[in-house]
Amino acid sequence: MSNSFIIKLVNFLWFQTIWWLVVLYQNTFLVLGLLIAWLIYSPLRKSDSKIMIAVLLLGTVVDSLLMVTGVFGFERGAWFSGGASHLIIPIWLVCLWAALGGAIQHSLSAFADKPLLAMFGGAVFAPLSYFGGQKFGAVTFGYSPLVTGLILAMVWGVVFPTCFLLAKKLTAHHELSQDH
C-alpha cells in the first residue's frame, strides 16, 4: 500500500470518528484533541491548518445563518459545553467544520478540481449527514424534511465546491514556491 493511500485512509477514519463523536456525544474536548493530532500527523500540516481555519469560518457562518433562519436548531446552553448561542452554532459543530477542512486535501481530494462533482456530492451527501445528526438528536429541523433537505442541498451545492476553491487559493502560493 502506498503512503498516500494510508494517509487518505487514516484521514477518512479520523473524519468519521469526529463525525460520530460530535453527533452522538457533542464531545468537544476529545474532538479538539483529534484535530490537533491530525495537524501533528498530516504531511501537509501547514496548508491543512490554513484550510481548516478557512472552512471552519465559512461553515460557522453558513450553519449559524441556517440556525438563525430556523432551518435547524440546537440545544441552547453554554457554548463551550456544547450548547448553541442565539447567533452561533455549538462549538462541537464548529469543530466538525474544521475536520471537514482537514479532509479536503486527503480523503476528499477526489472532489478537487471537479466543481460539478463537488456540487453534486455536497448537494446529496451533506443533507444526509444532517439527517443522520437529526436521527441521533444532535440537531432539530424547523421545517419539513423535504423543505429542509432542499435548502441544505442548495446551500451545500455551493458550499462544498467553495471549500475546494478556498483550499486551492490558500495552497497556490505554497505550490508556486515549491516550483522555484
Side-chain angles (χ1 to χ4, degrees):
M1 277 191 271
S2 74
N3 194 35
S4 173
F5 175 79
I6 291 170
I7 289 169
K8 286 181 181 187
L9 178 62
V10 167
N11 181 264
F12 173 78
L13 295 171
W14 168 83
F15 183 70
Q16 293 305 308
T17 300
I18 290 173
W19 189 91
W20 282 104
L21 286 172
V22 299
V23 168
L24 293 177
Y25 306 110
Q26 289 84 49
N27 186 313
T28 303
F29 295 107
L30 186 53
V31 170
L32 286 172
L34 288 170
L35 292 171
I36 292 167
W38 178 253
L39 289 176
I40 292 169
Y41 175 78
S42 173
L44 303 172
R45 73 181 56 90
K46 189 173 182 177
S47 58
D48 275 350
S49 62
K50 289 178 188 178
I51 296 165
M52 289 168 77
I53 290 168
V55 171
L56 175 152
L57 293 172
L58 171 67
T60 299
V61 169
V62 168
D63 273 354
S64 293
L65 287 171
L66 289 169
M67 181 186 73
V68 168
T69 58
V71 175
F72 47 68
F74 303 94
E75 188 176 310
R76 299 276 183 219
W79 193 66
F80 279 105
S81 299
S85 75
H86 291 291
L87 298 175
I88 300 176
I89 57 174
I91 190 168
W92 58 264
L93 189 50
V94 172
C95 290
L96 183 56
W97 278 99
L100 176 67
I104 293 288
Q105 295 188 102
H106 306 284
S107 59
L108 296 175
S109 64
F111 293 98
D113 297 320
K114 298 177 184 110
L116 290 177
L117 182 62
M119 188 183 317
F120 178 77
V124 172
F125 296 110
L128 293 175
S129 179
Y130 285 91
F131 279 97
Q134 188 256 349
K135 291 285 184 204
F136 288 108
V139 60
T140 58
F141 295 146
Y143 302 108
S144 71
L146 177 63
V147 170
T148 301
L150 289 173
I151 291 169
L152 291 173
M154 288 187 292
V155 168
W156 272 88
V158 174
V159 169
F160 197 52
T162 300
C163 291
F164 291 94
L165 278 172
L166 281 171
K168 191 172 189 163
K169 296 265 186 219
L170 291 170
T171 59
H173 174 57
H174 178 70
E175 291 168 1
L176 288 175
S177 65
Q178 284 184 333
D179 291 341
H180 293 97

